[in-house]
Amino acid sequence: MRRMSDSLCARIERYYATVPLLFADAEEHGPLRLFVRKEPGTPYYGGPNHAQPTEEGSGSVTSADIDRVRARQRELGVPEAFEWLAEAAPTLRAHIEAAGLPVAERPLMALDPHHRLPAQPLPAGVTIRALTADDPALPAVLALPRLAFTKNTAAGSAGPRQLQAEAEKLIADGTVETIRPSIRAGHKRLVAALVPDGTPLAAGHYHPAGGTTEIGGVGTLPTARRQGLAAAVTAALATHARDHGVHTVFLAYAEDTVARIYARLGFRPADITLLIADQPARS
């Protein structure tokens, strides 16, 4: 891999190489690396091994390298997923596609470090707060993505009752207790927009590492959409990150309509593209 100066691209690349290590171990497979979860949670992915070059030459990726990582993923029972920055490993996409995995693009946007983020307007009665590990709203906030990002069109009418049912599932299967230590350690930060009874209408998260973070998982309860809640949560996440020592804030998007919302908040194209293959958490 070519060496880059401490540019925005370099900071983001370093972030992607290190933040999974807060939650996963790294297995080295020649020019590729696989992050393997230490505890239950959303599975991680394979990508460039930052200790090995991935350009043409002695460290060039081969189909056999990709096959080895995929075999290990099957053994672990996780998706045969890959994720990397296009600019950091320009030849990898062709190899991944040749292996039969479709590759999706997620352009990145970064927040201008000099841009001040004003608080966004909220519907009457709605407040925003950062959650602690013992926040009573935590189970519902963790469950919200299950309804916000579902491809099931019937879930478009999902509201507080359905959210509570999903939250109870996460309590019962131990997911909530598994995540609490990461929140206590500051590895995972959650921000939510809530109504007075504590029901979250929108939420998102970030994982800080080395003064850099990606904002992700910003979703809105289907019955609460089109009220500006996603923009308000995104702004609150960025402000919270800055207030806690983060200097570089970025995010990925899949649709131009979403990019326009981020642009209004002060995010600008980073001229960097995240590539994903069979990565459910990104898709």
Side-chain angles (χ1 to χ4, degrees):
M1 179 182 299
R2 68 182 185 281
R3 293 192 177 276
M4 295 179 284
S5 62
D6 194 32
S7 62
L8 175 62
C9 186
R11 294 195 298 275
I12 292 176
E13 182 196 10
R14 189 162 56 244
Y15 176 82
Y16 281 139
T18 58
V19 74
L21 298 177
L22 298 172
F23 312 98
D25 293 320
E27 295 183 356
E28 312 298 351
H29 298 270
L32 296 177
R33 164 182 284 187
L34 176 62
F35 293 112
V36 179
R37 273 274 187 186
K38 299 175 184 176
E39 302 287 345
T42 302
Y44 275 106
Y45 43 83
N49 182 343
H50 293 261
Q52 298 284 342
T54 54
E55 299 305 305
E56 297 301 333
S58 60
S60 180
V61 175
T62 67
S63 59
D65 296 322
I66 295 170
D67 289 344
R68 278 195 296 272
V69 173
R70 295 177 72 184
R72 176 61 174 147
Q73 289 169 321
R74 290 193 296 271
E75 179 184 330
L76 293 167
V78 300
E80 296 171 40
F82 293 82
E83 180 176 310
W84 72 101
L85 292 182
E87 293 73 16
T91 66
L92 185 55
R93 179 173 189 164
H95 295 295
I96 294 290
E97 289 179 329
L101 294 175
V103 175
E105 297 184 357
R106 295 290 182 266
L108 301 185
M109 300 179 77
L111 187 61
D112 182 339
H114 304 293
H115 178 73
R116 295 187 63 184
L117 270 167
Q120 300 297 299
L122 291 167
V126 176
T127 58
I128 285 186
R129 72 169 180 257
L131 276 68
T132 66
D134 300 311
D135 196 303
L138 180 61
V141 168
L142 295 176
L144 197 149
R146 292 188 171 195
L147 301 179
F149 302 125
T150 181
K151 293 182 180 179
N152 178 1
T153 56
S157 60
R161 182 172 58 83
Q162 291 84 356
L163 181 62
Q164 181 59 35
E166 293 297 328
E168 289 172 0
K169 292 178 186 177
L170 296 186
I171 294 171
D173 68 13
T175 297
V176 175
E177 289 306 316
T178 298
I179 291 176
R180 289 192 203 275
S182 295
I183 299 173
R184 290 194 180 97
H187 297 326
K188 185 181 183 75
R189 306 278 194 168
L190 291 158
V191 169
L194 306 104
V195 292
D197 70 0
T199 299
L201 302 184
H205 65 254
Y206 72 91
H207 303 287
T212 299
T213 200
E214 178 182 19
I215 289 175
V218 178
T220 303
L221 194 64
T223 55
R225 288 172 178 158
R226 301 187 184 282
Q227 299 183 72
L229 293 170
V233 167
T234 301
L237 283 162
T239 298
H240 190 274
R242 283 175 161 181
D243 290 345
H244 289 79
V246 173
H247 309 293
T248 301
V249 180
F250 72 97
L251 43 74
Y253 69 91
E255 301 176 0
D256 289 341
T257 53
V258 176
R260 287 194 285 272
I261 294 173
Y262 295 147
R264 289 197 293 270
L265 295 176
F267 287 85
R268 297 293 178 259
D271 297 322
I272 302 167
T273 302
L274 179 71
L275 299 179
I276 61 173
D278 196 26
Q279 221 318 26
R282 292 283 188 181
S283 301

